[in-house]
Amino acid sequence: MEQRHQKILKKKYKDLTRDVRPDDVMDHLIQEDILDFTDIELVRAQSVTKLQVEKLLAILLTRGPRAFGVFLESLEERYQWLYKDLKKADEESARLPQQPGLGEDENTSTSEARHPVQETEKPSPNQPGETCVKQPSQPRTQTREKAVVQGQETAGGTVRPLTDEDKVARKMANMQLSNQQARLTVPPEVSSKRVTEKQLNVLAGKLGKEWENLAIHLDLTQADVDRCKADHVHNTRSQIFAMLMSWRARTGAAATVGALIHNLEDFGDIQVAKYEFLTQTS
């Protein structure tokens, strides 16, 4: 997706996550080969609509130049106000001159900015035939990148707090990166199966004190956690198993192996080795 289109989606992030229902647009996106069925599963695995839209946008940011236009088409029928806003923003951005990237000169290409070309000096009169290679200078974005990591940006030599738009952009970038990170390879015939009680019982035996935070991540409440603990006061494994079964019951047919693995990967505090067994075909 082009950078200007990414900026438009980030600016409209709040409106999109508030108003759009992913199921209204994903049929068109899959029909036009922007999404595949794995993407659909990843989106629907999110516990609430807002998180589903966030995941959908993160996936779209990783797709090719057609992604924005097809997404725009998908909004036209049911979300006319968003369609008009995005289309207007697209037309306005197309008329603007392209600005050089941060830390790049106007005549410097993106490739040159990332990998500065080494300069070769002419041979010295005293040393004919020899050349001296200059080391490329440090990119000028280093100071700014450091400031951004610390929660601030540099602008005109000064440091200012991040704006709401900056925070949204960072969140979108983090989600995009998370979506691109390596994940477990789950066979399709396994991913689509509803997770069994036996699998949840094995998983319960592998989890530890992190299970209460995992419960909240799975969209259970603190009251649910307290109930599981009260029902099985002296058996932690039974508490964890009860929590996982509550998630399975509430999620219904969507409580697939693929959805569970995706939630565990997103949670991030559990070693992959503890749930890798879920990918086994038997």
Side-chain angles (χ1 to χ4, degrees):
M1 182 178 292
E2 294 182 26
Q3 187 177 16
R4 66 187 182 91
H5 289 152
Q6 292 182 5
K7 289 182 178 179
I8 292 172
L9 291 183
K10 291 171 184 176
K11 286 182 179 179
K12 299 297 180 181
Y13 172 84
K14 291 183 179 179
D15 292 338
L16 291 169
T17 55
R18 182 189 64 230
D19 297 336
V20 173
R21 294 180 67 255
D23 283 340
D24 292 339
V25 300
M26 288 195 298
D27 285 348
H28 186 68
L29 292 171
I30 200 167
Q31 176 182 310
E32 295 298 322
D33 203 29
I34 300 300
L35 301 181
D36 56 31
F37 289 107
T38 300
D39 298 323
I40 300 295
E41 183 177 319
L42 289 175
V43 171
R44 289 177 176 166
Q46 305 305 307
S47 55
V48 295
T49 302
K50 183 176 185 295
L51 294 179
Q52 290 179 350
V53 180
E54 288 179 350
K55 176 59 69 175
L56 175 61
L57 293 175
I59 293 172
L60 288 175
L61 291 177
T62 69
R63 299 306 148 93
R66 292 181 55 244
F68 181 83
V70 175
F71 178 60
L72 199 59
E73 294 171 0
S74 71
L75 296 173
E76 185 172 8
E77 182 177 351
R78 297 195 181 188
Y79 302 97
Q80 272 286 324
W81 65 98
L82 289 174
Y83 169 78
K84 291 178 180 178
D85 284 350
L86 292 176
K87 187 175 179 61
K88 180 180 179 182
D90 182 31
E91 292 171 348
E92 290 175 349
S93 68
R95 292 194 293 267
L96 294 175
Q98 294 298 314
Q99 298 294 327
L102 293 169
E104 302 174 20
D105 294 329
E106 294 185 3
N107 296 323
T108 304
S109 68
T110 303
S111 176
E112 289 172 339
R114 293 179 179 173
H115 306 286
V117 178
Q118 294 182 338
E119 298 179 9
T120 303
E121 293 183 342
K122 295 181 179 180
S124 168
N126 298 327
Q127 296 176 318
E130 294 184 8
T131 59
C132 178
V133 178
K134 287 184 178 180
Q135 293 297 324
S137 59
Q138 290 291 334
R140 287 178 290 172
T141 59
Q142 184 177 3
T143 302
R144 182 181 185 278
E145 289 171 351
K146 182 178 180 181
V148 171
V149 170
Q150 296 174 343
Q152 297 174 321
E153 287 187 17
T154 59
T158 61
V159 178
R160 65 176 177 82
L162 289 176
T163 64
D164 289 341
E165 183 178 332
D166 296 327
K167 293 175 183 177
V168 168
R170 174 184 289 183
K171 183 174 183 180
M172 294 287 288
N174 288 339
M175 290 181 64
Q176 182 179 355
L177 178 60
S178 173
N179 190 60
Q180 292 173 334
Q181 290 174 343
R183 293 179 177 268
L184 281 178
T185 301
V186 187
E189 65 273 17
V190 174
S191 179
S192 59
K193 287 184 178 180
R194 193 161 188 250
V195 67
T196 65
E197 292 184 21
K198 180 178 180 181
Q199 288 173 314
L200 293 180
N201 186 43
V202 173
L203 179 61
K206 294 176 178 291
L207 298 181
K209 60 184 179 180
E210 73 275 9
W211 77 270
E212 295 185 39
N213 289 329
L214 174 62
I216 302 303
H217 180 76
L218 292 174
D219 210 31
L220 299 179
T221 65
Q222 186 60 48
D224 295 323
V225 173
D226 293 340
R227 189 178 302 111
C228 292
K229 294 168 73 174
D231 290 344
H232 308 277
V233 178
H234 302 296
N235 193 322
T236 302
R237 178 170 181 165
S238 295
Q239 294 172 359
I240 300 172
F241 178 65
M243 178 274 292
L244 293 172
M245 287 298 294
S246 294
W247 168 79
R248 181 178 182 266
R250 293 188 185 185
T251 308
T256 62
V257 173
L260 178 58
I261 289 176
H262 177 71
N263 274 300
L264 292 171
E265 288 175 328
D266 274 0
F267 180 59
D269 289 344
I270 301 173
Q271 295 178 352
V272 174
K274 291 185 177 182
Y275 56 84
E276 192 172 14
F277 75 94
L278 293 170
T279 64
Q280 298 173 0
T281 55
S282 60

